[in-house]
Amino acid sequence: MKHIWVFFSITIILFTNSFAQEPDKLTSAELFHEIQKLNFLGTALYVAAHPDDENTSLISYLSNHEKARTVYLSMTRGDGGQNLIGSELAELLGVLRTQELLAARHMDGGEQRFTRAIDFGFSKHPNETLKIWDKEKVLSDVVWAIRNIKPDVIINRFNHRTPGSTHGHHTSSAILSMEAFDLANDPNVYSEQLQWTTPWQPKRIFYNTSWWQYGSREKFAEADKSGMVQLDVGTYYPELGLSNNEIAAMARSQHLCQGFGRLTDRGSSDEYIELLKGDMPKNNDVFEGINTTWSRVEGGEAVGEILYKVEENFDFQNPAKHIPELVQAYKLLQQVEDEHWRTLKSEELKNIILATAGLYLEASSASASATPGSNTTINIETINRSSPSVTLKQIEIIGAYAKLTPNKVLADNQRENFEISFSVPENISYTSPYWLNEPGTLGTYTVNNQSLIGKPETPSAFMAIFNLEIDGVEIPFEKSVIHRYSRPDRGELYEPFAILPEVTSKIDEKVLIFANADTKEVQVKIRAGKNDVSGTVALDHPSGWMVTPSSIPFSIAQKGEEISVTFNVTPPGTESEGKLEPKITMGNKVYDKELVEIDYNHIPKQSVLLPSEAKVVRMDIKKSGEHIAYIMGAGDNVPESLEQIGYQVHLVDPNDIQNGDLDKYDAVVVGIRAYNVIDALKFKQPVLFDYVERGGTMIVQYNTAGRWASQFENIAPYDVTLSRDRVTDENAEVKILAPNNSLVNFPNAITEKDFDGWVQERGLYFPSEWSSEFTPILSMKDEGETEKQGSLIVAPYGEGHYIYTGLSFFRELPVGVSGAYKLFANMLSVGKDEVKRDSNVKG
């Protein structure tokens, strides 16, 4: 069975280098905290559906109070949500949220895992969720996680017994966890996994309940809690100088793209977990009755005898005095036959030895990226900041067949620098999120390599192995090769070292709308991944479309430089859609990838390679008006989409709006969730309504009910009550309730067919009540539900019109849904048909 643990050992190594690239620098007190964790041999698995679902208070409590290895298994990467800090959506948002989860775990001390499930948007029932996810695949991933992590206890965030009462993804995560609890120890279930792992049976599974499950705090106070464990997660950690609450809040605040930055808090705070399966603990200790000492491992007692003494007699002023004991414990640990615990605890112990000795080991590339076949140089820095003898025997770069054998004593506080140069293998894989390498389905990513399933990110391209002899014992230390650099405005920075193609291309506009048969210029940007690249670029196109010239030569001198070339694209005379795909030919190689870089201060820079393409749509669309004012809310791409069909969109800061300023615009559009995130709108409502009253058109897109940035009396000039009503089935039947209304007639005739091809959902947060001045235009419903008529409502106000819509235009326009464009053009043109009729009468 040795091959199993070779795989598992590599997995652990990769995970220990997963967050950021900046090395941890522990104080003596933090080091003592890590030694306490080293001496606890228990594991907890927390299970939920999305990034931000996890209870950071409980994860931090289990990790820092109980000292348990604590892992959060999120079914999805949050791909279907929205982004408050940037433009990334769908799979790119999943990459961003993955890194925010890793940042959160870095704060609360947990680890992170995933399944292959995709967050495809809100789901009303687990039956729908599990069908779209492909239940068997995702269930196998949960079993795989349990078999590899080997948790003693599992805690579900959501209740498996209440299908249909909350998000279907939430309930599904609990259903899958409950089933996997019973299946993980059966060798006949997903037996193909046993090439790399072994069956495992957790002892207990809980549900992390709360007062909201009972409807009110009063009802929960009266509830029978005999089947629950009560945990005070407000405990204080003197060695860290922080309470558990504070750590949890800092972890929660890493979810910045969801707007979860929050204040820290302090003081006693209770969490309850309800036993679902297994034996009930006799006290409020989830690990009661489970051996969490070194004696649970055969041969571990000798290791524990040393390490418990280190903990008991820890010298905070001179931690280095414990190095001989720690090294002896490491030596004994290598003789333990239990590969699971040997691998886990060896990595923990090595990190403690590094910190205790003040050892700094770094392998930094001179450049942020390299290409296959290129030469690269790795700068090595080593320093031993303690008195015990340390000898640097060898440095090996895994993946590059490169090594040095300095065999050099690292004298106390004397830095030693080396260089390793090598040629990057031609067959090396590019750096990109592994789950995006192959096309997936609506509900699951395609990952064919079993060893990758569940990992939070793609393993580093190169690992540096430092073989050190410490106190007579050789110990290998693994470090990812990174890129360290500085910026005047930010200081020292670390980022992953990436392997990228020699050249990439992109079309900035991911959807190109041709509202008529006119030719458009389309720019293709070409970026060099190395110096001195040249070749030709062509633009593959759908049948019936014409592109000239057929190819364009290019030459780029400097790595990182980007140039643009222009093609003329002519659509067919009738409605059509397809893809434009840049193809770059250099020698006998063709390059067809786009490089997307996700770069925020709170996460490591991410390099994502996607197919280089843009959707082209030829549609017959008419519009009225030209100048649109757009008030951006939580962030969307609607302005760019409207410009595609000929509007001039002007981004307006609501703080600057004065009475009369908006009269020059044909319409004012308010972006998604603007009233949730912009306080200034509270004070600008009278100005906006005056604009409408004088003949303007105001369109307000969806806002989240009850989450106002400030207390608004009303977001409309008449009474409107927003609700949580939504229609999640993007194929749900749509009925036109007001066939004579201009919104479905001018300047484009709208039929039910214009709702074909919508993505992810019809819409969300529809009004449930509105005053008689409003006219509902459409009705729609999900299967088994009542009709929802609030997706699009319009009311005259003075000389103008006010429109509220929960339809998901922010999703439909950027992906080129023809019917969505036509309907939005009609909304912008509302009232213009009356002006046209009046002018005809006068003529």
Side-chain angles (χ1 to χ4, degrees):
M1 297 291 284
K2 187 175 181 181
H3 59 289
I4 293 176
W5 300 110
V6 170
F7 154 76
F8 193 68
S9 177
I10 293 172
T11 299
I12 294 300
I13 290 170
L14 296 171
F15 279 139
T16 59
N17 291 280
S18 63
F19 174 72
Q21 268 61 42
E22 183 175 357
D24 288 324
K25 299 159 187 174
L26 303 180
T27 66
S28 291
E30 291 168 333
L31 180 53
F32 176 71
H33 187 73
E34 293 305 309
I35 291 172
Q36 290 179 309
K37 288 186 176 183
L38 177 67
N39 282 333
F40 188 92
L41 279 70
T43 304
L45 178 66
Y46 197 88
V47 179
H50 310 106
D52 85 357
D53 283 344
E54 83 274 28
N55 184 339
T56 55
S57 294
L58 193 48
I59 290 175
S60 179
Y61 178 86
L62 292 168
S63 176
N64 296 302
H65 180 269
E66 296 291 338
K67 305 298 190 291
R69 181 192 183 203
T70 306
V71 183
Y72 174 40
L73 175 63
S74 177
M75 296 292 139
T76 76
R77 297 176 185 265
D79 334 73
Q82 287 131 47
N83 184 356
L84 294 183
I85 63 173
S87 60
E88 294 86 4
L89 291 174
E91 68 271 17
L92 294 178
L93 180 59
V95 175
L96 171 56
R97 289 189 171 182
T98 293
Q99 291 300 319
E100 289 187 337
L101 273 174
L102 288 171
R105 297 295 78 75
H106 193 68
M107 289 288 180
D108 60 32
E111 299 176 32
Q112 188 62 51
R113 300 291 188 276
F114 295 95
T115 74
R116 287 172 288 179
I118 293 176
D119 175 6
F120 57 84
F122 191 86
S123 175
K124 293 181 177 178
H125 200 280
N127 288 350
E128 178 199 36
T129 299
L130 294 172
K131 180 179 179 181
I132 293 175
W133 276 356
D134 189 338
K135 179 183 177 181
E136 278 303 306
K137 284 185 180 178
V138 182
L139 178 59
S140 76
D141 292 354
V142 181
V143 169
W144 171 252
I146 292 172
R147 286 173 171 174
N148 282 321
I149 296 165
K150 303 193 183 308
D152 298 299
V153 296
I154 297 176
I155 302 175
N156 291 339
R157 183 69 177 105
F158 300 108
N159 193 347
H160 69 286
R161 299 161 296 195
T162 55
S165 64
T166 183
H167 197 324
H169 297 184
H170 292 169
T171 311
S172 294
S173 70
I175 290 172
L176 292 170
S177 180
M178 289 291 288
E179 291 189 22
F181 180 88
D182 293 329
L183 296 176
N185 200 38
D186 186 343
N188 297 312
V189 174
Y190 307 120
S191 57
E192 69 282 359
Q193 296 179 0
L194 301 183
Q195 300 175 64
W196 303 280
T197 189
T198 55
W200 179 255
Q201 182 58 62
K203 302 293 190 300
R204 302 174 180 128
I205 186 168
F206 298 92
Y207 160 50
N208 185 191
T209 189
S210 179
W211 66 265
W212 44 261
Q213 177 65 34
Y214 290 77
S216 71
R217 295 182 187 276
E218 292 74 20
K219 290 181 180 178
F220 185 60
E222 297 171 359
D224 177 12
K225 298 184 180 65
S226 59
M228 301 181 192
V229 174
Q230 179 182 356
L231 305 170
D232 183 355
V233 298
T235 186
Y236 177 68
Y237 307 118
E239 70 274 21
L240 302 180
L242 292 166
S243 68
N244 193 74
N245 322 55
E246 291 171 297
I247 294 173
M250 290 189 293
R252 187 74 168 168
S253 293
Q254 300 309 304
H255 296 296
L256 294 183
C257 75
Q258 300 182 73
F260 284 169
R262 57 179 287 187
L263 293 170
T264 59
D265 55 22
R266 287 146 288 278
S268 180
S269 177
D270 289 334
E271 286 284 345
Y272 292 86
I273 54 175
E274 175 190 353
L275 183 70
L276 300 176
K277 291 182 180 180
D279 60 311
M280 184 69 185
K282 296 176 183 177
N283 51 47
N284 289 326
D285 177 5
V286 294
F287 290 98
E288 189 275 327
I290 299 171
N291 185 359
T292 58
T293 72
W294 279 101
S295 66
R296 81 177 290 175
V297 180
E298 186 176 351
E301 290 189 65
V303 179
E305 184 178 351
I306 297 172
L307 294 177
Y308 290 136
K309 287 181 181 178
V310 172
E311 180 181 345
E312 183 180 354
N313 302 301
F314 186 73
D315 189 330
F316 288 87
Q317 290 188 320
N318 182 26
K321 69 176 284 186
H322 300 293
I323 290 175
E325 299 161 277
L326 296 172
V327 170
Q328 181 63 21
Y330 175 82
K331 184 178 179 180
L332 289 174
L333 182 55
Q334 304 320 296
Q335 300 170 21
V336 168
E337 293 186 3
D338 187 322
E339 297 275 358
H340 173 74
W341 286 111
R342 188 179 74 195
T343 303
L344 284 173
K345 292 302 177 179
S346 289
E347 291 306 313
E348 290 181 36
L349 184 49
K350 286 195 294 184
N351 289 332
I352 287 170
I353 291 171
L354 276 181
T356 304
L359 274 165
Y360 185 86
L361 307 174
E362 179 182 277
S364 175
S365 169
S367 175
S369 65
T371 58
S374 66
N375 294 320
T376 193
T377 298
I378 306 299
N379 299 311
I380 304 295
E381 179 180 337
T382 64
I383 186 168
N384 168 33
R385 291 168 288 188
S386 64
S387 56
S389 174
V390 177
T391 301
L392 176 60
K393 305 288 286 185
Q394 178 179 279
I395 308 162
E396 182 178 6
I397 306 297
I398 301 299
Y401 311 107
K403 68 173 65 175
L404 287 178
T405 54
N407 202 26
K408 187 175 185 62
V409 174
L410 300 180
D412 186 3
N413 209 30
Q414 299 300 307
R415 184 178 63 190
E416 300 286 350
N417 294 96
F418 309 90
E419 282 188 359
I420 300 180
S421 297
F422 58 86
S423 179
V424 177
E426 289 280 1
N427 62 348
I428 194 171
S429 297
Y430 294 133
T431 299
S432 191
Y434 69 86
W435 60 95
L436 299 180
N437 287 340
E438 301 290 338
T441 66
L442 173 63
T444 52
Y445 286 117
T446 298
V447 182
N448 295 318
N449 184 342
Q450 182 68 41
S451 68
L452 288 175
I453 291 174
K455 291 184 181 179
E457 56 186 350
T458 302
S460 300
F462 297 109
M463 297 289 293
I465 309 297
F466 295 81
N467 285 303
L468 302 181
E469 184 180 291
I470 304 175
D471 207 40
V473 177
E474 283 200 26
I475 305 175
F477 295 90
E478 303 82 15
K479 295 288 182 180
S480 293
V481 173
I482 50 87
H483 174 56
R484 180 169 67 97
Y485 65 106
S486 67
R487 272 178 39 183
D489 59 334
R490 290 180 59 192
E492 184 176 67
L493 297 170
Y494 296 77
E495 67 180 59
F497 174 57
I499 303 300
L500 301 175
E502 293 178 325
V503 65
T504 55
S505 64
K506 72 173 178 178
I507 300 173
D508 281 338
E509 298 83 7
K510 294 310 171 191
V511 176
L512 295 161
I513 304 298
F514 290 74
N516 51 47
D518 292 347
T519 297
K520 281 188 178 184
E521 290 186 345
V522 175
Q523 282 195 342
V524 176
K525 293 181 177 178
I526 304 170
R527 175 173 171 169
K530 67 174 188 176
N531 293 337
D532 299 320
V533 296
S534 61
T536 61
V537 58
L539 202 54
D540 284 3
H541 54 84
S543 176
W545 294 67
M546 185 170 68
V547 173
T548 58
S550 58
S551 67
I552 300 174
F554 71 90
S555 179
I556 306 176
Q558 296 293 323
K559 176 181 178 178
E561 183 182 352
E562 189 174 78
I563 65 168
S564 295
V565 298
T566 302
F567 291 91
N568 294 310
V569 178
T570 306
T574 57
E575 292 194 350
S576 171
E577 64 179 61
K579 291 180 180 178
L580 296 179
E581 299 173 297
K583 304 288 185 184
I584 296 174
T585 301
M586 292 171 47
N588 59 357
K589 293 183 179 180
V590 177
Y591 298 86
D592 59 1
K593 296 294 185 183
E594 173 184 352
L595 172 63
V596 180
E597 294 178 327
I598 302 175
D599 196 5
Y600 294 97
N601 289 349
H602 66 301
I603 65 168
K605 180 180 176 182
Q606 298 297 296
S607 299
V608 185
L609 292 170
L610 299 174
S612 183
E613 61 187 28
K615 183 179 180 180
V616 286
V617 181
R618 165 71 172 97
M619 65 175 74
D620 290 319
I621 186 169
K622 303 177 183 66
K623 67 183 187 66
S624 183
E626 184 175 357
H627 292 278
I628 307 299
Y630 201 93
I631 299 173
M632 190 64 74
D636 58 62
N637 293 318
V638 172
E640 296 88 336
S641 299
L642 297 179
E643 289 174 343
Q644 288 268 4
I645 56 173
Y647 285 104
Q648 294 186 40
V649 181
H650 309 265
L651 297 182
V652 174
D653 185 341
N655 291 288
D656 299 334
I657 297 173
Q658 301 298 324
N659 202 28
D661 288 353
L662 301 173
D663 291 350
K664 58 190 173 186
Y665 299 112
D666 295 294
V668 174
V669 181
V670 181
I672 62 172
R673 296 182 62 190
Y675 288 94
N676 299 140
V677 298
I678 302 176
D679 286 315
L681 282 176
K682 173 183 179 180
F683 308 106
K684 298 300 180 178
Q685 288 292 79
V687 177
L688 291 166
F689 293 159
D690 285 347
Y691 160 76
V692 178
E693 192 170 23
R694 290 194 297 271
T697 297
M698 180 178 177
I699 300 170
V700 176
Q701 298 178 83
Y702 99 90
N703 283 264
T704 306
R707 295 184 183 178
W708 307 120
S710 294
Q711 186 60 45
F712 289 92
E713 292 182 6
N714 209 335
I715 62 172
Y718 306 113
D719 289 339
V720 171
T721 301
L722 297 188
S723 71
R724 300 184 68 84
D725 287 351
R726 62 173 77 207
V727 175
T728 62
D729 182 358
E730 63 269 33
N731 299 310
E733 181 184 4
V734 177
K735 297 177 182 177
I736 296 176
L737 299 175
N740 297 321
N741 193 281
S742 66
L743 287 187
V744 291
N745 288 286
F746 179 81
N748 303 286
I750 302 297
T751 69
E752 283 85 352
K753 215 170 160 42
D754 286 301
F755 294 91
D756 292 348
W758 284 49
V759 299
Q760 188 160 324
E761 62 200 352
R762 289 295 190 201
L764 62 169
Y765 293 103
F766 298 165
S768 57
E769 297 178 8
W770 49 85
S771 68
S772 60
E773 288 84 358
F774 282 101
T775 299
I777 305 300
L778 307 170
S779 76
M780 56 192 70
K781 66 174 182 176
D782 281 320
E783 185 178 354
E785 295 192 353
T786 59
E787 294 280 346
K788 305 291 187 294
Q789 297 187 354
S791 64
L792 178 60
I793 58 175
V794 58
Y797 183 68
E799 298 297 318
H801 295 82
Y802 177 94
I803 297 171
Y804 185 91
T805 179
L807 292 171
S808 59
F809 288 107
F810 70 101
R811 297 196 193 280
E812 313 313 322
L813 298 183
V815 297
V817 177
S818 300
Y821 273 93
K822 292 177 183 178
L823 184 53
F824 211 103
N826 283 13
M827 293 194 303
L828 293 169
S829 305
V830 67
K832 306 293 193 301
D833 58 334
E834 298 169 7
V835 174
K836 185 175 180 180
R837 284 198 300 269
D838 289 346
S839 64
N840 288 340
V841 171
K842 291 174 183 177

